[in-house]
Amino acid sequence: MTAIDEIKAQFASQNKQLQALSKAYEDLKKDMMTTDNAPQSSQIAYSPDLKSKVFEKAPYFRFLESKGRVDDSFGSTYAGFYKETDNSAASWIDESDDIPTQTASSYAEEVSKMKTLIHPIDVSLMAQMGNNAIDILAREIDKGFIKVTNQLDSTLLQGAGTAAAKDFKGFTKQVSTNVDTLDADEPISEDAIDDMLTSIIDGNGGVVDCIVTTNAVAKQLKKLVAPYRRFNDKIDIGLGHRVIAYEAPNGSEIPILIDSNLAQINSKDVMLFVDSSTIEVKRLLAPTLMTNLPTNKLGTKNAVVSFATANNIAEFRNGMIKGIDTSLEVASPYNVTVNVPEAEGTG
């Protein structure tokens, strides 16, 4: 090989190295651009206005949150729950008696994968630039936060927990021990409510600290117990809101949440009796704003996203009354006929 050939070979090798460096630089530049424009997230904080709106739209969820039943410190896509079946009992024995045989309570481990809840926000560039009266994007973000929480509230009440629904099982799909279905011509009554509370409290050791129902049922209850103090009193549930309460047979005041997300079952209204200590809500991601999502449109594409799941770890300490026909007349004490004896004639 001549000296000229060696020089040519060196130039060719250097050229290949320069091309490789150039390609590496371009790839690095693309990576940097991708990183700069990658989706970003920011936690959505409760403002006083949002707190009020969220309570109005999702009172059951906010109640559970106030009771410390929502765990936002969870760090896994899977949540483990221990579902309790209580078989234990206490008994008296003589000092010299053997310790009696006991049937141990069982705790079934159940694993649930986090479910994805999303509210897309797609606002065009023209809509944002051509409107000086309101901040459309900010309004859409607030609405997305409320709607995500609203949907979570609905799922906590009656989520199907099926692959098609892509959600988790809610209260009405898990409670099966204390369930009463009213007859077709049977209106809701104090006896039905008190019997359910007795069954839960005395029979199963539950502590009902919340009743959830619809506005139509609440209207019947108000008429049912109008002459009494119960249900007309309002109590503070620690959320800056006062709600009506029902006086249980043991004298405790149970807050009643009117939740528009509670759907009918077989075209009839329902009433839920909740022991909040049995409801566990796990969230890998609280409602969070994801920005700079890829889009081919002139505008910004964002989304409010949450990862959550929940379980009822002791359904036997809860209850449900189904088949409430709100078209029936309740047995109001005002509808009592009093027979007044006729005055005797004076002759």
Side-chain angles (χ1 to χ4, degrees):
M1 179 181 294
T2 64
I4 295 178
D5 291 333
E6 289 180 359
I7 294 173
K8 286 183 177 179
Q10 289 177 0
F11 272 117
S13 177
Q14 290 176 353
N15 188 45
K16 286 182 180 180
Q17 291 178 1
L18 288 172
Q19 289 178 349
L21 287 172
S22 178
K23 184 177 184 304
Y25 171 73
E26 291 296 329
D27 290 342
L28 178 61
K29 188 166 68 172
K30 289 180 180 178
D31 290 340
M32 292 176 65
M33 290 176 62
T34 302
T35 303
D36 290 342
N37 297 323
Q40 299 174 354
S41 64
S42 60
Q43 190 70 44
I44 300 175
Y46 278 129
S47 67
D49 187 43
L50 277 180
K51 282 183 179 179
S52 178
K53 290 180 179 178
V54 167
F55 181 83
E56 293 169 1
K57 297 292 185 180
Y60 179 55
F61 167 75
R62 286 287 284 133
F63 177 78
L64 292 176
E65 193 176 40
S66 74
K67 290 290 186 178
R69 306 311 301 167
V70 180
D71 182 5
D72 279 328
S73 61
F74 213 69
S76 172
T77 55
Y78 286 90
F81 301 94
Y82 286 95
K83 302 190 72 172
E84 175 189 353
T85 302
D86 186 14
N87 297 317
S88 61
S91 61
W92 293 99
I93 63 172
D94 288 330
E95 184 180 0
S96 59
D97 286 350
D98 292 334
I99 297 176
T101 302
Q102 179 64 281
T103 302
S105 298
S106 62
Y107 295 88
E109 184 176 356
E110 188 170 308
V111 178
S112 178
K113 192 176 189 301
M114 293 286 171
K115 309 299 180 182
T116 302
L117 186 56
I118 187 168
H119 181 277
I121 300 172
D122 198 346
V123 182
S124 72
L125 183 61
M126 183 181 293
Q128 293 181 66
M129 295 180 63
N131 193 321
N132 297 322
I134 57 174
D135 188 338
I136 294 179
L137 184 57
R139 287 175 62 89
E140 289 297 313
I141 291 171
D142 284 352
K143 287 195 298 183
F145 176 81
I146 293 169
K147 289 181 179 180
V148 162
T149 310
N150 184 43
Q151 185 60 46
L152 176 58
D153 182 80
S154 178
T155 304
L156 285 168
L157 292 171
Q158 64 252 321
T162 61
K166 303 177 183 179
D167 60 2
F168 53 81
K169 284 187 178 181
F171 188 98
T172 60
K173 299 298 189 299
Q174 291 190 306
V175 173
S176 59
T177 301
N178 304 301
V179 178
D180 182 22
T181 302
L182 301 181
D183 295 333
D185 58 348
E186 180 186 3
I188 188 65
S189 65
E190 279 190 276
D191 283 342
I193 298 171
D194 290 346
D195 287 347
M196 177 59 69
L197 290 169
T198 301
S199 177
I200 295 171
I201 297 170
D202 291 349
N204 294 277
V207 180
V208 178
D209 55 2
C210 174
I211 293 175
V212 184
T213 192
T214 62
N215 190 70
V217 175
K219 181 180 178 182
Q220 283 191 318
L221 292 179
K222 191 170 183 179
K223 181 178 180 181
L224 181 70
V225 295
Y228 308 119
R229 178 179 63 85
R230 69 188 65 179
F231 190 76
N232 294 323
D233 281 5
K234 289 187 176 183
I235 59 176
D236 189 349
I237 58 174
L239 297 169
H241 293 270
R242 293 176 60 83
V243 299
I244 51 182
Y246 183 86
E247 184 183 338
N250 63 359
S252 63
E253 298 284 346
I254 304 175
I256 296 182
L257 300 182
I258 310 303
D259 199 321
S260 60
N261 289 317
L262 183 57
Q264 291 183 325
I265 299 178
N266 298 325
S267 301
K268 297 293 178 63
D269 285 70
V270 297
M271 184 184 297
L272 311 183
F273 298 78
V274 182
D275 181 340
S276 66
S277 68
T278 69
I279 312 296
E280 291 188 357
V281 184
K282 308 285 190 181
R283 290 197 299 189
L284 178 61
L285 182 69
T288 300
L289 176 65
M290 305 297 295
T291 60
N292 296 330
L293 297 177
T295 180
N296 293 324
K297 298 180 181 179
L298 287 175
T300 58
K301 190 170 185 179
N302 310 296
V304 177
V305 183
S306 181
F307 303 140
T309 189
N311 213 327
N312 191 325
I313 60 173
E315 62 81 22
F316 58 89
R317 298 211 300 260
N318 300 268
M320 176 167 46
I321 296 179
K322 301 193 297 184
I324 303 176
D325 187 347
T326 55
S327 67
L328 296 176
E329 284 293 326
V330 297
S332 171
Y334 284 132
N335 297 331
V336 176
T337 302
V338 180
N339 294 318
V340 181
E342 296 181 2
E344 294 182 1
T346 57

